[in-house]
Amino acid sequence: MSEKENCEISNNGEMNEMSNTGVIITQSATPLPEGVSLPLYMDNHATTQMDHRVLNAMLPYFSVKFGNAASRNHAFGWEAEEAVEKSRQQIAKLIGATAKEIIFTSGATESNNLAIKGIAEMYKERGNHIITQATEHKAVLDTCKRLEKYGYRVTYLPVQADGLIDIEDLKRAMDDKTILVSIMFANNEIGVVQPIAEIGKLCHEKGVIFHTDAVQAVGKIPVDVQAMNIDVLSLTAHKIYGPKGVGALYVRRRNPRVQISAQIDGGGHERGMRSGTLNVPGIVGLGAACEISGQEMEAEAARLTELRDYMQAKFEKALDYVHVNGNMEHHLPGNLNMSFVYVEGESLLMGINDIAVSSGSACTSATLEPSYVLKALGLGDDVAHSSIRFGLGRFNTKAEVDYVSDKLIDVVLKLRELSPLYEMVKEGIDLTKIEWAAH
Ligand SMILES: *Cc1c(COP(=O)(O)O)cnc(C)c1O
């Protein structure tokens, strides 16, 4: 799940699946409830289905409205430029910025790279220290790691057991060489929302630039760069029902004016910060996605929170030894990350292979590694592996939530029947006191 998101368990459509423990899980042949079809998508932190309203807004820009937004001397260019400027305004409105502060990119991976590398380079005379946190997306962590090779010093703040950073840790980490703090708004695995306004206030008091990867928050919960003292913010279209391959970086223009060194050289587009002919259809889609999200956020957040709580309650009622990961008070509406203890993670996923969710495992080259985010919360490898991230989104229904939770409960009960560990726990044996025989 840790954003090697593409290593998903595939849906091969077979009725019976042999798990690697040799257990055959028979999928029920009962007809599907009305309104439910398979495969079923519940992985909306990885990507979202495009909203048809977004697609409709984009379509003309693939065909008749094909101009280059940088063509200043004819109507085709003006038409494209107008569409791009409209999108800038739609994005700015959603986050409390002004249109001039929006820079278009190819997505949040690029936005994060541009923000962190661009600030590191621009402010290197001032200092070489960057602060981030252990549970960031790889696009932030790996960018920081690269900067360490170039002589920058990076502090990776730990998180508490509920996934929140301790603001006192952040205060202590700051020194007179600190130029940048990069803390994500909301986590893509556990849905935890960091105290962004508090962090922003602290950074402004100390004169440190504050960047936030707000991919999972924008369009889902209120984001206001002014009220929250955010200086630089990354977002992407495909997590808010827009197209893949287009994103934006907000860069503050006053109080303070933030400068960023370009990381791509060329025609000087986007006020010199990001060269390259603009992806006009994608940009139109991003703008439309922002406008729709802004209009529907309140109702959608309420609906998804209710569905999420309903799902959590169903699991907790039907099963013992399940727990949620991450602080549930400071939490994204559509996120539920649960550990189903004493169940082997891979078998669990095999049992629900017609449902797209993410597990607490990430495929690295050949092996399954436990999620570094769950490990940062202090979860053991086994519990991390037995965790599932449900990502509810705009197109998920109550019927789907019922189907998924019933199915999962069924699979967990079956697997536990075969789990010696679970049996021992039920018999009151304290597993921590057992001395396992060495192999
Ligand atoms: C998806 C995601 C990204 C990467 O965005 P892309 O547009 O796919 O490059 C970055 N950060 C977070 C938190 C994400 O969820």
Side-chain angles (χ1 to χ4, degrees), residues 68-78 81 85 88 269-270:
N68 184 329
S71 297
R72 288 280 152 76
N73 56 344
H74 54 66
F76 294 88
W78 300 331
E81 196 196 3
E85 293 315 308
R88 248 188 256 284
H269 308 74
E270 298 300 274

Side-chain angles (χ1 to χ4, degrees), residues 8-28 344-355 407 411 414-415 418:
E8 251 165 48
I9 308 293
S10 64
N11 301 298
N12 57 13
E14 281 177 25
M15 292 297 280
N16 294 316
E17 193 59 46
M18 180 86 84
S19 81
N20 70 344
T21 49
V23 178
I24 293 175
I25 299 157
T26 309
Q27 309 214 342
S28 69
E344 204 256 326
E346 252 181 291
S347 310
L348 189 58
L349 277 187
M350 290 292 198
I352 53 164
N353 72 350
D354 45 16
I355 298 168
K407 181 78 188 243
V411 171
K414 279 189 182 133
L415 288 170
L418 304 153

Side-chain angles (χ1 to χ4, degrees), residues 3 45 107-109 112 137 184 186 188 213 215-216 236 238-239:
E3 296 304 320
H45 303 296
T109 298
N112 287 339
H137 191 272
M184 75 200 315
N188 46 298
D213 173 346
V215 165
Q216 298 288 345
T236 190
H238 77 101
K239 307 280 173 89

Side-chain angles (χ1 to χ4, degrees), residues 115-116 119-120 129-133 136 140 144 153-155 157 165 167 169-171 173-175 177-184 194-196 198-204 206-213 229-233:
I116 296 167
I119 288 164
H129 182 226
I130 295 167
I131 302 172
T132 185
Q133 62 166 345
E136 287 294 316
V140 167
C144 288
R153 196 157 49 82
V154 181
T155 302
L157 295 176
I165 62 158
I167 205 95
D169 283 346
L170 175 58
K171 266 184 210 164
M174 286 178 164
D175 61 36
K177 289 278 184 262
T178 309
I179 50 173
L180 172 67
V181 167
S182 180
I183 301 284
M184 75 200 315
Q194 296 292 347
I196 293 299
E198 248 182 287
I199 298 168
K201 185 164 173 278
L202 179 65
C203 288
H204 272 203
K206 304 265 183 188
V208 174
I209 297 170
F210 176 34
H211 165 253
T212 186
D213 173 346
N229 284 307
I230 297 164
D231 296 317
V232 187
L233 176 149

Side-chain angles (χ1 to χ4, degrees), residues 318-368:
L319 301 167
D320 52 7
Y321 300 103
V322 293
H323 62 82
V324 290
N325 295 308
N327 184 304
M328 291 308 282
E329 205 176 313
H330 305 282
H331 209 97
L332 284 176
N335 175 277
L336 180 64
N337 190 310
M338 289 202 90
S339 298
F340 300 88
V341 191
Y342 309 124
V343 169
E344 204 256 326
E346 252 181 291
S347 310
L348 189 58
L349 277 187
M350 290 292 198
I352 53 164
N353 72 350
D354 45 16
I355 298 168
V357 291
S358 279
S359 81
S361 315
C363 335
T364 53
S365 50
T367 57
L368 274 181

